[in-house]
Amino acid sequence: NIPDFNDAVYQGKWEEAIQILSTTNNFPEFTGRICPAPCEASCVLGINSKPVTIEYIEKTIAETAFEKGYIKPCPPQSRTGKRVAVVGSGPAGLAAAAQLNKAGHWVTVLERSDRIGGLLRYGIPDFKLEKNILDRRIDLMKEEGIVFQVNTHVGVNLSAKQLKSEYDAVVVCGGASAPRDLPIPGRDGKGVHFAMEFLPQQNKRVAGDQLTENILATGKNVIVIGGGDTGSDCVGTSNRQGAK
């Protein structure tokens, strides 16, 4: 409902703006930072002028709402008694968990890594999404009754059979960390890495984690194959590491 929340912002009605925005967007503080914003490209004002900066408005609504205390824990008034497991804690898993919790189910989110967030945590660099923004939302979801379990790798240290026996329903949100290979001569050469080997390392490094192996672009000539968001994240991270 973009025209409606824009109008509320225009009138200075921030509480109304966040209410409108939250009806269709669980995490405007994320999308306001990392969405590629196709809505801005299709804004008809762009035909003869500058388009409306919808993404920035979303971010500003969310941050103003947090600052003014309009975004607060809202646990459901009643519970259905049903238990749902959400496998994966990336954007899809978090959104599914939020919606199911609002419907009154008891929700447990299972994550194989040692921290919650999936690609939000390990795929998107801090210069695009600072992790305190992610932690703020996760803390809110915990207060709303959602349970998060880390180091839980379904199919490895927790069986699907056990999941089905303990929960009424299971939502699979396994994420997009499986890369697409490029099987060409030289692919097995030293220094050729997938983005999802490179980017999570940097995020862990920024978070203060100890790494056993370091993939660094420092002082090196770097080629990035792929020109999408992930490619640009690799460019930005390589620059920050001091690539030649």
Side-chain angles (χ1 to χ4, degrees), residues 33-238:
R33 287 172 165 84
I34 60 174
C35 174
C39 56
E40 288 185 22
S42 59
C43 173
V44 293
L45 193 64
I47 294 168
N48 61 355
S49 183
K50 290 181 179 178
V52 175
T53 55
I54 301 160
E55 184 183 19
Y56 184 74
I57 292 170
E58 272 190 22
K59 175 188 169 185
T60 306
I61 291 171
E63 291 306 320
T64 303
F66 270 112
E67 192 183 309
K68 292 180 178 289
Y70 299 146
I71 297 177
K72 47 187 179 284
C74 294
Q77 292 182 338
S78 61
R79 292 284 181 182
T80 63
K82 299 281 187 185
R83 299 181 74 232
V84 183
V86 176
V87 181
S89 71
L94 292 179
Q99 291 298 116
L100 288 161
N101 189 59
K102 277 181 191 171
H105 309 308
W106 291 108
V107 180
T108 301
V109 179
L110 309 170
E111 170 56 50
R112 67 183 175 183
S113 297
D114 59 350
R115 287 189 178 96
I116 296 297
L119 285 185
L120 292 169
R121 173 80 60 189
Y122 291 121
I124 296 169
D126 283 60
F127 59 80
K128 273 191 180 174
L129 179 66
E130 292 166 303
K131 300 308 175 269
N132 63 314
I133 303 295
L134 176 58
D135 292 332
R136 178 177 64 182
R137 177 60 71 169
I138 292 166
D139 290 342
L140 201 70
M141 293 172 75
K142 286 177 182 173
E143 289 184 61
E144 291 176 334
I146 297 169
V147 175
F148 293 95
Q149 276 182 222
V150 294
N151 299 313
T152 307
H153 197 168
V154 176
V156 178
N157 59 7
L158 179 66
S159 70
K161 189 177 180 183
Q162 193 179 338
L163 263 189
K164 287 185 78 176
S165 68
E166 290 180 13
Y167 294 91
D168 297 290
V170 178
V171 186
V172 181
C173 299
S177 56
R180 198 172 83 185
D181 208 347
L182 193 63
I184 56 174
R187 167 65 185 89
D188 55 351
K190 191 178 178 224
V192 182
H193 301 283
F194 286 123
M196 285 308 292
E197 293 168 352
F198 177 55
L199 294 174
Q201 268 204 10
Q202 179 68 0
N203 284 11
K204 288 177 181 178
R205 200 175 285 115
V206 171
D209 292 357
Q210 293 295 315
L211 301 171
T212 52
E213 181 200 6
N214 282 295
I215 303 170
L216 290 165
T218 313
K220 294 174 183 170
N221 293 315
V222 178
I223 293 173
V224 176
I225 300 174
D229 278 358
T230 307
S232 84
D233 291 345
C234 290
V235 170
T237 300
S238 297

Side-chain angles (χ1 to χ4, degrees), residues 1-11 17 52-54 57 61:
N1 302 318
I2 295 166
D4 294 342
F5 69 64
N6 278 350
D7 187 54
V9 169
Y10 172 69
Q11 296 183 55
V52 175
T53 55
I54 301 160
I57 292 170
I61 291 171

